[in-house]
């Protein structure tokens, strides 16, 4: 991040100090570089913000999930309905962090890739077991045929395992997707 910041600052300084006689083509390319650096810095800030767990003393994991979806500018986030039992808000921090990250990724995937027009998030903690289910009405996919370079499902599985839980993925082309994170 420090190198991006220094690079961006130098490019913006060059733009301010350049002779107006500099060709518009060169100025245009330099403005493009400045814009790309600014975008890279914002992406870096978002990634860093997504890596560190939030303070679940101030908000529940599902409240942070909603806020994160807004931060990520997920289009049509209003199609998500939330049904979260009060008991599901009273879970330990590591489980809450995993639930938040899995929920955000599943909702984002449903809307951005699955073309879902409805996403239902349900969560409860009963009899020592916490479960969050994310179900959508999108186009679905074959979980056995994930293209190279797509890391969302892999990251969700690893996050669930790391928290001591499991992740179930139910989907097939044309029938939507259901993702369940469960931990005892």
């Amino acid at each position: 991040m420090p190198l991006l910041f220094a690079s961006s600052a130098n490019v913006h300084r060059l733009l301010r100090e350049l002779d107006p006689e500099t060709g518009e083509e060169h100025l245009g390319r330099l403005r493009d570089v400045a814009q790309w650096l600014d975008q890279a810095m914002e992406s870096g800030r978002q990634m860093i913000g997504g890596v560190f767990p939030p303070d679940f003393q101030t908000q529940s994991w599902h409240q942070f999930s909603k806020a994160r979806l807004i931060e990520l500018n997920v289009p049509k986030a209003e199609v998500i309905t939330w049904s979260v039992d009060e008991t599901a808000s009273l879970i330990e921090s590591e489980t809450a962090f995993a639930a938040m990250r899995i929920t955000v990724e599943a909702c984002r995937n449903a809307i951005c890739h699955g073309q879902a027009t409805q996403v239902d998030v349900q969560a409860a903690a009963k009899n020592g077991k916490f479960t969050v289910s994310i179900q959508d009405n999108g186009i679905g996919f074959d979980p056995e045929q994930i293209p190279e370079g797509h890391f969302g499902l892999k990251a969700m599985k690893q996050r669930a395992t790391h928290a001591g839980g499991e992740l179930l993925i139910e989907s097939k082309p044309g029938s939507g997707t259901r993702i369940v994170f469960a931990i005892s």
Side-chain angles (χ1 to χ4, degrees):
M1 273 304 266
L3 291 175
L4 282 174
F5 178 77
S7 298
S8 178
N10 279 313
V11 169
H12 284 286
R13 189 183 84 242
L14 277 172
L15 280 169
R16 285 189 308 273
E17 296 174 357
L18 272 176
D19 183 348
E21 298 297 315
T22 302
E24 188 57 40
E25 178 184 337
H26 296 301
L27 284 172
R29 285 192 283 185
L30 199 52
R31 284 185 196 105
D32 287 345
V33 170
Q35 182 181 6
W36 297 331
L37 287 167
D38 291 344
Q39 289 171 348
M41 285 192 319
E42 181 56 31
S43 293
R45 284 187 193 103
Q46 288 180 357
M47 283 191 296
I48 288 170
V51 169
F52 295 103
D55 178 9
F56 291 113
Q57 303 301 316
T58 60
Q59 287 184 324
S60 67
W61 65 269
H62 56 92
Q63 291 168 321
F64 275 108
S65 296
K66 291 176 189 178
R68 185 74 177 134
L69 287 162
I70 291 167
E71 277 177 30
L72 293 172
N73 292 318
V74 172
K76 300 186 274 177
E78 67 275 3
V79 304
I80 304 169
T81 58
W82 301 82
S83 177
V84 180
D85 286 355
E86 190 175 316
T87 58
S89 298
L90 307 173
I91 55 176
E92 70 162 48
S93 183
E94 186 175 336
T95 302
F97 186 56
M100 179 196 75
R101 293 299 302 272
I102 290 167
T103 301
V104 167
E105 185 65 20
C107 289
R108 194 186 69 72
N109 284 349
I111 294 169
C112 295
H113 301 299
Q115 303 170 17
T117 59
Q118 182 62 47
V119 180
D120 297 312
V121 178
Q122 297 181 353
K126 294 180 182 167
N127 302 322
K129 184 174 185 175
F130 169 78
T131 305
V132 60
S133 170
I134 304 99
Q135 183 153 359
D136 69 65
N137 69 346
I139 61 174
F141 65 96
D142 180 351
E144 301 299 319
Q145 301 292 321
I146 305 301
E148 287 292 319
H150 291 256
F151 301 107
L153 290 173
K154 184 176 182 179
M156 285 189 276
K157 286 180 182 179
Q158 288 178 342
R159 198 165 292 284
T161 301
H162 180 73
E166 60 184 349
L167 192 76
L168 170 71
I169 301 168
E170 297 173 347
S171 187
K172 64 181 181 179
S175 69
T177 301
R178 181 172 178 249
I179 295 186
V180 179
F181 168 51
I183 188 167
S184 297

